[in-house]
Amino acid sequence: MPQPSSVMAVSAPGKVLLSGGYLVLDRKYTGTVFALDARIHVVVQQLRRGPAHSKTESGSDEQEDIIVVRSPQFVDAVWEYTFQRCENGGGVKVIQKGNGPRNPFVETSVSYALTYISYVADSKDFGSLSVTIMSDNDYYSETSTSKGSAAQEYGGRFSNFGIPLSEAHKTGLGSSAALVTALVSALVIHRTMQADDLGGGRDKLHNLAQAAHCAAQGKVGSGFDVATAVYGSCLYKRFSPAILESVGDVGSAGFEERLFAVVEDANPAHSWDTECVDFGMQLPRGMQMVLCDVDCGSQTPSMVRKVLQWRKENQQEADILWASLQNNNERLRQELKRLAQHPDSNTDAEFSEISSYLQRTRQHIRTMTQRSGVPIEPSVQTELLDRVSEIDGVIGGVVPGAGGYDAIVLLIKDDTAVIPRLNELFENYQSTVEDDFGGKIGKVRLLGVRHGSEGLKTEFLEQYAGWL
């Protein structure tokens, strides 16, 4: 078993589900998902033992091992945990110290990672650990602090947002999935693997991250965001929910064995059946992907529940709509793949095919919006997408994933003149329609994030100077 390294840094990317929103919840359908170059970073360091808090029966000092998790870009974003080994194979459960707000994604990820490590590692002694979480700037809308000089204090990649994490507006890039993936991977690699073994252990890290992410969000999701965080851009078909439904909670009898079987894919009754193809899928030459933050955000889980309820109550109508979307999505993916494989044939005429498929996707999504009563493409987003689609060099765009008021995604020609045209539109952009769901778009801002096909990777520590 490899010896744990003293410091380990890992990052995982955000995602854009260009097509397949809601469809990826069903194994009959697929989603085309692109990894982004915006990443969540996690650095794990071994700490010295904490101070003595009690005496053992023999009278000697008993040292308390702790795990301190910090997100230094935000105010008071510090979580300190002790941990206990549960009886009857219940795994390792972390217990937050103090009365501060809890972070279920951090807490669950640490518990799941330590449970797995404890089960497979030679040493059951974790020692004390320091965990630092850093987010590339585009995961959150700008604040007055991040716009100012403080943003450049330690270099431009990581801004000081100057607000509590609870007040930060997410831009919808998949921060929770990237966080869970990077956090469980950093802990597992730190304790049980060599950094250069990442390729061989990627499937296990995927399985562990899926289990932790589903537990943290309280339901078994489609998992496309975690898969992208691990593997990068791909065509995704979800796993069967039964794989994770029997894992149970940390602390329940036999939890560590059930988690181990899930991570190692050792349960013949429920083998992993995730399908990811076209790993590292690239955009065609001459095309770029950009995202536009509308500084609003949406609550994806509640939207998903409502859409699924509508589909259940209107099965025949929904199935026709789902099939139409799947057919159009597959044509879009195949055309993108064809253009990427034959870059010399790319012309404006061929990009017009992509534009047509994106428009058709939006038509189906607006139908889903109207029928389900869920703001997948609400009126203010329709207005914005229509306006940007008129700009010379914009191929087309959609509200990605589950939709709502998250950042929109645009495919544009890789022409230096397009970005200034977009910025000119956004400079004084104001919505003129009354939204059918009461949503409002704030300041529209072009994010710096771009397409990036790479998934989970280890990182060099120098870029975090000043933050650790």
Side-chain angles (χ1 to χ4, degrees), residues 241-264:
I243 295 169
L244 295 180
E245 286 173 347
S246 61
V247 175
D249 298 324
V250 177
S252 61
F255 171 77
E256 61 183 24
E257 289 188 3
R258 293 191 299 273
L259 181 64
F260 173 80
V262 161
V263 174
E264 301 283 336

Side-chain angles (χ1 to χ4, degrees), residues 3 32 55 70 82 93 144 148 202 235 245 263 288 388 398 403 412 442 455 463:
Q3 292 299 309
T32 300
K55 300 283 186 179
R70 301 168 53 249
T82 58
K93 188 173 187 178
S144 56
R202 199 175 290 266
L235 176 72
E245 286 173 347
V263 174
Q288 187 51 267
V388 296
V398 295
I412 65 173
Q463 62 190 310

Side-chain angles (χ1 to χ4, degrees), residues 281-299:
M281 192 164 42
Q282 297 281 356
L283 288 174
R285 191 169 73 187
M287 184 184 293
Q288 187 51 267
M289 176 185 289
V290 296
L291 286 94
C292 310
D293 177 29
V294 297
D295 196 10
C296 192
S298 53
Q299 296 299 316

Side-chain angles (χ1 to χ4, degrees), residues 286-288 290 391-394 412-424 446 450:
M287 184 184 293
Q288 187 51 267
V290 296
I391 292 176
D392 186 26
V394 174
I412 65 173
K413 294 175 185 175
D414 199 2
D415 178 341
T416 55
V418 182
I419 298 296
R421 291 178 194 137
L422 287 168
N423 284 326
E424 184 179 358
L446 195 64
R450 296 292 184 267

Side-chain angles (χ1 to χ4, degrees), residues 117-145:
I117 293 165
S118 177
Y119 197 83
V120 301
D122 292 335
S123 172
K124 307 301 181 188
D125 182 9
F126 302 124
S128 290
L129 298 171
S130 167
V131 178
T132 304
I133 300 168
M134 302 296 298
S135 303
D136 283 348
N137 295 331
D138 283 331
Y139 280 96
Y140 299 94
S141 297
E142 283 184 329
T143 65
S144 56
T145 304

Side-chain angles (χ1 to χ4, degrees), residues 193-227:
M193 297 167 60
Q194 299 286 3
D196 55 7
D197 288 341
L198 178 56
R202 199 175 290 266
D203 289 349
K204 294 178 183 178
L205 295 175
H206 165 267
N207 300 347
L208 178 59
Q210 291 283 19
H213 190 248
C214 288
Q217 64 184 358
K219 66 182 182 66
V220 180
S222 68
F224 80 90
D225 43 6
V226 171

